[in-house]
Amino acid sequence: ELSSGINAEYGFLVYTSVAENIMCYQTAEKNATMCPDPAEGAAAPTKCFGPTFSVLGGVTNSTYGCGECPTDAAKDACVTCDGAADSACNPEIITADNYECYDYSYNAEKGVFAIQKDPITCHRKNGTDVHCNKPGVNATETYTSNDKGCGPCTNTTAGVCVACDETRCNSAVTVTAFLLPLAALLYTLF
């Protein structure tokens, strides 16, 4: 947007660039609104900020607003995005009901993946499905469950990770890392 004025000393028309206000979701307003005009001499914000989300932690305890993240925001609890005049880039994060999945750890002494005793609480955004994951028959001792068993598989190698779509659906009994593939091979041969 351009603003014009006449230079008093030389008598010619001067054009200056005026930053357009952006729209951000703002905690105080409870919806997406135009950011307020900046203070005299200050630059208009070009970014919006808001809380972060993770499947293990849910929505962080951060506010929404215009500009950079507040200086008192906890590490990784706030994220910024490039603002626009026609829509907010930091929409409110709405969550759905939590669900539970189990985590697995590798027991080197027994050569198996063992299920942890207590389930993990998993979080999800509204409109997303429930997903759990666990080690598959091709998982080796270096395998680590994605997000402690919450969410889909991230390893796409066949048989390394198995996903399912219900709460606590990954609660199978202990999975062996090496014996199951060997037993399947022996069964096929004999």
Side-chain angles (χ1 to χ4, degrees), residues 100-102 131-132 134 163-172:
E100 294 180 332
C101 295
Y102 288 94
H131 295 290
C132 295
K134 64 182 177 182
C164 54
D165 301 328
E166 294 179 14
T167 192
R168 296 187 181 194
C169 62
N170 66 341
S171 63

Side-chain angles (χ1 to χ4, degrees), residues 5-127:
I6 297 179
N7 181 296
E9 186 176 342
Y10 298 105
F12 56 84
L13 194 58
V14 176
Y15 288 94
T16 56
S17 176
V18 177
E20 210 174 351
N21 280 359
I22 59 171
M23 182 180 286
C24 296
Y25 187 88
Q26 299 172 62
T27 301
E29 302 295 327
K30 299 287 186 206
N31 60 14
T33 56
M34 297 304 284
C35 292
D37 290 331
E40 184 70 33
T46 59
K47 295 190 177 290
C48 301
F49 67 85
T52 59
F53 174 86
S54 73
V55 71
L56 292 175
V59 180
T60 56
N61 189 22
S62 180
T63 58
Y64 295 87
C66 303
E68 296 292 334
C69 287
T71 55
D72 64 346
K75 184 179 184 314
D76 298 326
C78 182
V79 65
T80 60
C81 55
D82 292 328
D86 58 347
S87 64
C89 63
N90 65 337
E92 180 182 17
I93 299 173
I94 300 171
T95 58
D97 292 339
N98 294 341
Y99 62 101
E100 294 180 332
C101 295
Y102 288 94
D103 191 13
Y104 287 78
S105 62
Y106 186 73
N107 181 325
E109 187 178 300
K110 295 182 179 179
V112 298
F113 283 98
I115 191 169
Q116 300 300 301
K117 178 183 173 191
D118 297 317
I120 303 293
T121 298
C122 310
H123 303 267
R124 64 189 175 117
K125 292 180 181 179
N126 192 39

Side-chain angles (χ1 to χ4, degrees), residues 135-186:
V137 295
N138 293 335
T140 65
E141 69 274 2
T142 60
Y143 175 85
T144 302
S145 295
N146 180 46
D147 287 324
K148 297 186 177 186
C150 297
C153 292
T154 56
N155 188 321
T156 57
T157 305
V160 172
C161 181
V162 177
C164 54
D165 301 328
E166 294 179 14
T167 192
R168 296 187 181 194
C169 62
N170 66 341
S171 63
V173 195
T174 304
V175 177
T176 61
F178 305 110
L179 298 179
L180 287 177
L182 179 61
L185 176 65
L186 291 174

